[in-house]
Amino acid sequence: MNRQPELGGGGSRTRGGEKSSDRLVSGWRVACLRVPSFPVQALRRSCPELAETPLAVAAGPTPRDEIVAVSAEAVALGARVGWTAAQVRQRAPGVKVAVTPPEVAAAAAEALADVAEGFSPRLRRVAPGEVWLDVAGVVPLWGSEPRLAGEVLRRCRRVGLEGCVGVASSGEVARVAARLAEGVSEGVVVVPPGQEREFLAPLPLPVLDPPPAVLATLARWGLATAGEVAALAREEVALRLGREGVRLHRLAAGEEDGAFVPDLRPEELREGVPLEFPLTSLEPFLFVLHGVLSRLAQRLEVRGEGFADVFLELGLEGGGTYELPLRLVAVTREVAAVQAMVRLQLEAHPPGAPVEEVAVRVVPGRLRLVQGSLFGPPQPAPGKLAQALARLAALAGTGRVGAPAVRDSHRPDPAAVVPFAPRPVAGDEAAQQPRGGPVLRRFRPPRPVQVVTVGSRPVVARLGRWGGVVARCAGPYRFVGEWWSEEPFARDEYDVATADGTVWRLAFDRLEGRWWADGVYD
Amino acid sequence: MAAVAPLADAAQPVAEVLQRLREDTRRWARRELERPRLDAGAPELNRVLGGGWPVGKVGELLGPDSSGRTTAAMAAVAATTRRGEVAAWIDAADAFDPPSAQTAGVDLQRLLWVRVRGVEGAVRAAEVVLEVGGFPVVVVDLVGVHGGQRRQRWHRGGRGASVGSLRLRLARAAERANAVVLVLSGHPWAGALAGAVVPLAGRGGRWGGDGNGSLRWLEGVALEVTTAEVEAGERVGWRAGS
């Protein structure tokens, strides 16, 4: 029996179809980016060594937990979604059963959202491994919707995920198109505007993912395709199948599913990985860290950003945590430079317990772009300079690389380091002319010096085997300040030439009553 | 048994080889003389150096304290930043004084200051900077950092590079980047790999005022240059004062 129930007249169907079509033509264009077998792909992204392993991902660690995703290799060995972990182990012994840790799945989902954000600022994460993008308005940038979808997939591969894309005038239809795209070689299915109903009409109902009870009822009525459901009157469907029935009817008719409400994206990126056994030494830890940083660098690349601030978050044996903040000298995407900085910091500040979990949180920053001058002198390329600054910071230490600056203070040694960002040459820029004067080589820290004085003036100055009788002396230059603070200073400085030809800057600390050598003029 | 050529027969090829060597040396000398020069920032130094520091070479400023090594290097850096270019100061001695540099005319925003530790770290930092390109002059301050040529190896955790390999790396990096690397040192460091060596003799300070109980001030450091520049295959002695 394939008799359809009489649920309404043709007028109602036509009216519904027209309404739907009018709204679709003037409405959204939504691309659904979907990653098939997402738990498997998320796990493989985090553990690349599992790339060739037949894999079945269970919902939990117990043997009774259900398998939620299987790899193609596991399917070939007979494993199926919906089995329990125990069933897979018994019936397909060559398949490895694993659990995708929540943080690994979350990081992969964020990576997918990063890819989507590279194409449209309006995106919505509807499920793990599935993102909808509002692409109305951005298609002209790429020429056509298939080209846009192809580029989305290419960038998706760069973050270690294989996806497929469906484009339609509503998110639900785009999702159906994305599911069908799994069987298409290009991985892309585009539904032309206004043709959603025609596209869906021949498709079997399970493709629309209705609730099992609704599907069973429709099967009893003899309805097998979306087109047959769309032909029903909505009011009658609502009477008999309720809210779920109306939702299915709207979907089958290819109607819009409400306003596209985009998600708010977090500013920070996070990637982490739990370890199978605690790590106690630095080298294996850095090996694990390299994978985490590489995945972050891939995500930053698709966002067009780089590492600005990095926070290393370690889970320690015994339940403790350890957070290490790293501030980079310049925004960079070079993993080796960030890793070198982590190495230096961990060597200086070890966590103090075996590490069980590694996570890295990143505050992204925009890479520096500079418009060079056509007629000005050549300048370092900003990208290469940023990488070099990060490598130098790893070599010399944070706060020891940058442009020198002079603090607005009369304290001794007013040197400071600020970020090195040379400004481009301006046409009306007046060159700074040298005022002339002695050049000091600083002792850091100042060295205690033995001084013999007559009155208050030094007549003999000796620093180790250097120095001697003072041949010439200028000064004192008195500096007194910050008497209102907890670190006041009061010192008399002298420029002194000793008999061996060396010219010193000596200072008498009036608060301590001691002589210091600030440096030597050279 | 191989026949041994008589000495008279061997003389001809030896003469040819010597002739070829002479020609190669002259050609090399011509090329070195035509090498572009970087403004040293002071007319006296430019005159001593034959137009400036040789580009693509390591220049060495040697001398005791108060001989003016830092003043001379800062003059080159100031001239570079005045042209709108950037420079780097690899400060292994941790002695760089920004107020002095400002007084010398250095545009601090165009100077990269790297406070690295050790000779090996300084050479590595210089290599990193030179790889970027766009830095026509890189100063490597090694005053008081190394122990002279007698000390051939620095060990750090069981590893370390010899002085010979470090100076070779620095010379190659300068050549590749087509930049001037100025090494400040108390003793000869770059050796034969230096394109220009400027030994400075400490002559004390230049003082203002009469000093007879009235005001006196330090105007600068007197530079006495005794250059033995290895160029065109011969050593030329210069003597100048400023």
Side-chain angles (χ1 to χ4, degrees), chain B residues 23-158:
Chain B
E23 286 172 5
D24 286 349
T25 307
R26 280 193 210 103
R27 204 163 32 244
W28 171 81
R30 265 200 305 276
R31 198 174 61 234
E32 287 301 307
L33 284 173
E34 290 165 2
R35 184 180 281 278
R37 301 276 163 165
L38 182 95
D39 182 12
E44 297 85 358
L45 271 176
N46 280 335
R47 186 167 49 79
V48 166
L49 291 164
W53 293 103
V55 173
K57 289 284 184 183
V58 174
E60 204 166 14
L61 283 157
L62 307 174
D65 286 339
S66 302
S67 60
R69 299 159 298 188
T70 317
T71 303
M74 224 162 251
V77 170
T80 302
T81 57
R82 271 203 301 274
R83 290 193 301 273
E85 294 177 288
V86 293
W89 195 286
I90 312 297
D91 193 9
D94 201 9
F96 181 81
D97 184 47
S100 298
Q102 213 168 28
T103 309
V106 175
D107 183 348
L108 296 184
Q109 286 189 11
R110 293 201 169 104
L111 181 66
L112 174 61
W113 182 23
V114 184
R115 300 163 74 180
V116 73
R117 295 179 183 89
V119 179
E120 196 171 347
V123 171
R124 181 73 198 118
E127 285 177 319
V128 171
V129 171
L130 290 166
E131 275 173 23
V132 176
F135 285 84
V137 60
V138 175
V139 178
V140 181
D141 188 348
L142 300 179
V143 174
V145 178
H146 66 92
Q149 281 186 318
R150 276 176 297 173
R151 193 173 174 188
Q152 287 297 311
R153 190 173 283 273
W154 288 271
H155 289 285
R156 196 189 63 182

Side-chain angles (χ1 to χ4, degrees), chain A residues 250-290:
Chain A
R250 289 175 67 92
L251 174 58
E255 290 184 20
E256 245 178 73
D257 38 14
F260 188 98
V261 182
D263 288 345
L264 288 174
R265 295 276 292 125
E267 287 299 314
E268 296 180 350
L269 308 184
R270 194 172 187 280
E271 285 273 350
V273 61
L275 304 174
E276 289 182 11
F277 49 88
L279 294 178
T280 52
S281 56
L282 192 56
E283 290 304 326
F285 169 79
L286 290 175
F287 179 78
V288 174
L289 183 72
H290 187 271

Side-chain angles (χ1 to χ4, degrees), chain A residues 199-519:
Chain A
F199 165 74
L200 293 169
L203 299 180
L205 279 174
V207 172
L208 305 186
D209 203 12
V214 174
L215 186 63
T217 305
L218 293 172
R220 267 202 318 278
W221 293 349
L223 301 178
T225 65
E228 290 167 356
V229 172
L232 304 176
R234 184 165 302 160
E235 297 80 8
E236 303 298 334
V237 171
L239 272 175
R240 288 164 177 78
L241 297 177
R243 185 177 294 173
E244 288 296 333
V246 173
R247 193 196 71 80
L248 182 66
H249 187 268
R250 289 175 67 92
L251 174 58
E255 290 184 20
E256 245 178 73
D257 38 14
F260 188 98
V261 182
D263 288 345
L264 288 174
R265 295 276 292 125
E267 287 299 314
E268 296 180 350
L269 308 184
R270 194 172 187 280
E271 285 273 350
V273 61
L275 304 174
E276 289 182 11
F277 49 88
L279 294 178
T280 52
S281 56
L282 192 56
E283 290 304 326
F285 169 79
L286 290 175
F287 179 78
V288 174
L289 183 72
H290 187 271
V292 175
L293 290 174
S294 300
R295 291 196 291 278
L296 281 167
Q298 289 166 347
R299 289 175 60 184
L300 290 167
E301 189 182 356
V302 297
R303 292 166 66 115
E305 294 176 320
F307 295 98
D309 289 328
V310 178
F311 299 87
L312 186 66
E313 297 172 348
L314 306 180
L316 304 181
E317 199 175 50
T321 57
Y322 180 81
E323 182 166 320
L324 186 68
L326 302 168
R327 184 161 183 83
L328 302 186
V329 181
V331 178
T332 180
R333 274 204 296 262
E334 198 181 9
V335 171
V338 180
Q339 193 174 347
M341 282 201 72
V342 172
R343 172 196 280 271
L344 284 175
Q345 290 292 320
L346 282 180
E347 281 175 348
H349 312 286
V355 176
E356 284 186 329
E357 192 177 338
V358 181
V360 177
R361 189 158 51 88
V362 173
V363 177
R366 286 279 165 199
L367 296 170
R368 186 167 165 264
L369 299 173
V370 173
Q371 174 67 52
S373 168
L374 194 60
F375 303 106
Q379 300 288 326
K384 289 175 77 175
L385 180 62
Q387 288 183 6
L389 290 175
R391 287 164 66 189
L392 289 170
L395 189 70
T398 310
R400 298 180 68 87
V401 177
V406 182
R407 278 200 305 267
D408 186 14
S409 167
H410 289 293
R411 277 192 172 281
D413 196 6
V417 180
V418 297
F420 180 67
R423 61 183 188 282
V425 182
D428 56 348
E429 189 177 333
Q432 187 179 0
Q433 293 302 319
R435 297 195 299 272
V439 173
L440 183 70
R441 293 181 64 81
R442 282 260 173 208
F443 294 151
R444 291 192 177 95
R447 299 176 190 171
V449 61
Q450 293 177 322
V451 175
V452 177
T453 56
V454 172
S456 63
R457 296 179 73 79
V459 290
V460 176
R462 191 162 290 281
L463 178 63
R465 59 191 174 91
W466 290 283
V469 176
V470 172
R472 286 192 174 187
C473 176
Y477 306 105
R478 179 159 292 180
F479 295 89
V480 180
E482 298 188 20
W483 43 266
W484 57 88
S485 73
E486 291 181 356
E487 293 182 355
F489 61 90
R491 58 200 329 257
D492 290 343
E493 291 183 356
Y494 294 85
D495 294 332
V496 167
T498 48
D500 61 354
T502 310
V503 187
W504 310 84
R505 179 187 287 178
L506 303 182
F508 178 67
D509 191 320
R510 292 158 56 84
L511 299 177
E512 292 182 353
R514 294 180 65 185
W515 284 89
W516 298 93
D518 277 351

